Short mmCIF file of all heavy atoms in Angstrom, two decimals:
data_model
loop_
_atom_site.label_atom_id
_atom_site.label_comp_id
_atom_site.label_asym_id
_atom_site.label_seq_id
_atom_site.Cartn_x
_atom_site.Cartn_y
_atom_site.Cartn_z
N ASP A 1 -9.19 -0.69 -26.43
CA ASP A 1 -8.90 0.66 -26.26
C ASP A 1 -9.63 1.21 -25.03
O ASP A 1 -10.28 0.45 -24.27
CB ASP A 1 -9.38 1.54 -27.46
CG ASP A 1 -10.88 1.42 -27.75
OD1 ASP A 1 -11.51 0.64 -27.11
OD2 ASP A 1 -11.35 2.13 -28.70
N GLY A 2 -9.54 2.51 -24.75
CA GLY A 2 -10.28 3.07 -23.63
C GLY A 2 -9.80 2.61 -22.33
O GLY A 2 -10.57 2.42 -21.34
N GLY A 3 -8.46 2.38 -22.19
CA GLY A 3 -7.93 1.99 -20.89
C GLY A 3 -8.07 0.46 -20.66
O GLY A 3 -8.15 0.06 -19.52
N TYR A 4 -8.21 -0.31 -21.69
CA TYR A 4 -8.47 -1.77 -21.52
C TYR A 4 -7.38 -2.41 -20.69
O TYR A 4 -7.72 -3.15 -19.71
CB TYR A 4 -8.52 -2.36 -22.94
CG TYR A 4 -8.59 -3.92 -22.87
CD1 TYR A 4 -9.80 -4.54 -22.72
CD2 TYR A 4 -7.48 -4.68 -23.11
CE1 TYR A 4 -9.82 -5.96 -22.67
CE2 TYR A 4 -7.48 -5.98 -23.10
CZ TYR A 4 -8.63 -6.67 -22.91
OH TYR A 4 -8.73 -8.09 -22.89
N ALA A 5 -6.15 -2.16 -21.00
CA ALA A 5 -5.01 -2.86 -20.26
C ALA A 5 -5.08 -2.40 -18.79
O ALA A 5 -4.88 -3.21 -17.87
CB ALA A 5 -3.69 -2.55 -20.89
N LEU A 6 -5.26 -1.15 -18.46
CA LEU A 6 -5.38 -0.63 -17.16
C LEU A 6 -6.58 -1.28 -16.44
O LEU A 6 -6.49 -1.66 -15.28
CB LEU A 6 -5.47 0.87 -17.18
CG LEU A 6 -5.43 1.57 -15.90
CD1 LEU A 6 -4.06 1.25 -15.10
CD2 LEU A 6 -5.49 3.09 -16.00
N ARG A 7 -7.73 -1.34 -17.16
CA ARG A 7 -8.86 -1.99 -16.50
C ARG A 7 -8.55 -3.52 -16.20
O ARG A 7 -8.93 -3.95 -15.16
CB ARG A 7 -10.09 -1.92 -17.42
CG ARG A 7 -10.61 -0.54 -17.63
CD ARG A 7 -11.80 -0.54 -18.54
NE ARG A 7 -12.13 0.88 -18.92
CZ ARG A 7 -13.34 1.24 -19.28
NH1 ARG A 7 -14.27 0.31 -19.44
NH2 ARG A 7 -13.57 2.43 -19.59
N ARG A 8 -7.95 -4.14 -17.09
CA ARG A 8 -7.55 -5.62 -16.83
C ARG A 8 -6.74 -5.69 -15.63
O ARG A 8 -6.84 -6.63 -14.77
CB ARG A 8 -6.96 -6.16 -18.07
CG ARG A 8 -7.82 -7.20 -18.74
CD ARG A 8 -7.10 -7.93 -19.91
NE ARG A 8 -5.92 -8.67 -19.43
CZ ARG A 8 -4.99 -9.00 -20.29
NH1 ARG A 8 -5.13 -8.66 -21.56
NH2 ARG A 8 -3.91 -9.62 -19.86
N ALA A 9 -5.67 -4.87 -15.59
CA ALA A 9 -4.78 -4.93 -14.38
C ALA A 9 -5.54 -4.53 -13.10
O ALA A 9 -5.37 -5.24 -12.07
CB ALA A 9 -3.61 -3.89 -14.60
N GLY A 10 -6.53 -3.59 -13.24
CA GLY A 10 -7.26 -3.24 -12.10
C GLY A 10 -8.21 -4.35 -11.59
O GLY A 10 -8.33 -4.60 -10.34
N VAL A 11 -8.73 -5.04 -12.54
CA VAL A 11 -9.66 -6.23 -12.16
C VAL A 11 -8.79 -7.29 -11.60
O VAL A 11 -9.14 -7.95 -10.54
CB VAL A 11 -10.41 -6.80 -13.36
CG1 VAL A 11 -11.09 -8.15 -13.13
CG2 VAL A 11 -11.49 -5.76 -13.83
N ALA A 12 -7.60 -7.59 -12.10
CA ALA A 12 -6.67 -8.60 -11.58
C ALA A 12 -6.28 -8.21 -10.12
O ALA A 12 -6.40 -9.04 -9.24
CB ALA A 12 -5.49 -8.78 -12.42
N VAL A 13 -5.78 -7.02 -9.95
CA VAL A 13 -5.30 -6.61 -8.59
C VAL A 13 -6.56 -6.57 -7.65
O VAL A 13 -6.42 -7.00 -6.48
CB VAL A 13 -4.54 -5.27 -8.72
CG1 VAL A 13 -4.29 -4.74 -7.36
CG2 VAL A 13 -3.27 -5.49 -9.52
N GLY A 14 -7.60 -5.96 -8.14
CA GLY A 14 -8.77 -5.73 -7.19
C GLY A 14 -9.29 -7.11 -6.79
O GLY A 14 -9.66 -7.21 -5.53
N SER A 15 -9.46 -8.02 -7.73
CA SER A 15 -10.06 -9.32 -7.24
C SER A 15 -9.09 -10.13 -6.37
O SER A 15 -9.53 -10.78 -5.41
CB SER A 15 -10.31 -10.18 -8.51
OG SER A 15 -9.25 -10.41 -9.29
N LEU A 16 -7.71 -9.93 -6.57
CA LEU A 16 -6.83 -10.62 -5.68
C LEU A 16 -6.83 -9.98 -4.32
O LEU A 16 -6.77 -10.67 -3.29
CB LEU A 16 -5.39 -10.64 -6.30
CG LEU A 16 -4.35 -11.48 -5.62
CD1 LEU A 16 -4.84 -12.99 -5.66
CD2 LEU A 16 -2.98 -11.31 -6.34
N VAL A 17 -6.84 -8.72 -4.25
CA VAL A 17 -6.93 -7.94 -2.97
C VAL A 17 -8.15 -8.35 -2.19
O VAL A 17 -8.16 -8.60 -1.00
CB VAL A 17 -6.74 -6.43 -3.17
CG1 VAL A 17 -7.15 -5.71 -1.95
CG2 VAL A 17 -5.33 -6.10 -3.58
N LEU A 18 -9.18 -8.39 -2.91
CA LEU A 18 -10.51 -8.74 -2.28
C LEU A 18 -10.53 -10.19 -1.80
O LEU A 18 -11.08 -10.46 -0.69
CB LEU A 18 -11.73 -8.44 -3.19
CG LEU A 18 -12.07 -6.95 -3.43
CD1 LEU A 18 -13.18 -6.90 -4.49
CD2 LEU A 18 -12.57 -6.33 -2.09
N ALA A 19 -9.91 -11.15 -2.58
CA ALA A 19 -9.81 -12.47 -2.17
C ALA A 19 -8.95 -12.61 -0.89
O ALA A 19 -9.30 -13.38 0.03
CB ALA A 19 -9.27 -13.30 -3.22
N ALA A 20 -7.83 -11.84 -0.83
CA ALA A 20 -7.01 -11.86 0.36
C ALA A 20 -7.73 -11.33 1.55
O ALA A 20 -7.61 -11.88 2.67
CB ALA A 20 -5.72 -11.10 0.08
N ALA A 21 -8.49 -10.23 1.31
CA ALA A 21 -9.22 -9.68 2.50
C ALA A 21 -10.33 -10.62 2.91
O ALA A 21 -10.54 -10.80 4.10
CB ALA A 21 -9.82 -8.29 2.05
N GLY A 22 -10.93 -11.23 2.00
CA GLY A 22 -11.98 -12.30 2.41
C GLY A 22 -11.34 -13.44 3.14
O GLY A 22 -11.95 -13.96 4.04
N ALA A 23 -10.22 -13.90 2.63
CA ALA A 23 -9.51 -14.99 3.35
C ALA A 23 -9.18 -14.60 4.81
O ALA A 23 -9.27 -15.36 5.69
CB ALA A 23 -8.31 -15.43 2.59
N LEU A 24 -8.73 -13.33 4.95
CA LEU A 24 -8.43 -12.83 6.25
C LEU A 24 -9.63 -12.84 7.19
O LEU A 24 -9.65 -13.19 8.32
CB LEU A 24 -7.83 -11.40 6.19
CG LEU A 24 -7.27 -10.76 7.41
CD1 LEU A 24 -6.13 -11.58 8.03
CD2 LEU A 24 -6.92 -9.36 7.21
N VAL A 25 -10.74 -12.39 6.59
CA VAL A 25 -11.99 -12.36 7.36
C VAL A 25 -12.44 -13.78 7.77
O VAL A 25 -12.88 -14.04 8.90
CB VAL A 25 -13.17 -11.67 6.58
CG1 VAL A 25 -14.50 -11.85 7.22
CG2 VAL A 25 -12.88 -10.17 6.52
#
């Protein structure tokens, strides 16, 4: 509860975006 699904989606998208940005750097 408490936005669990939204948090999981946020962690998944956020970590993937940060990994892509890190790979670009």
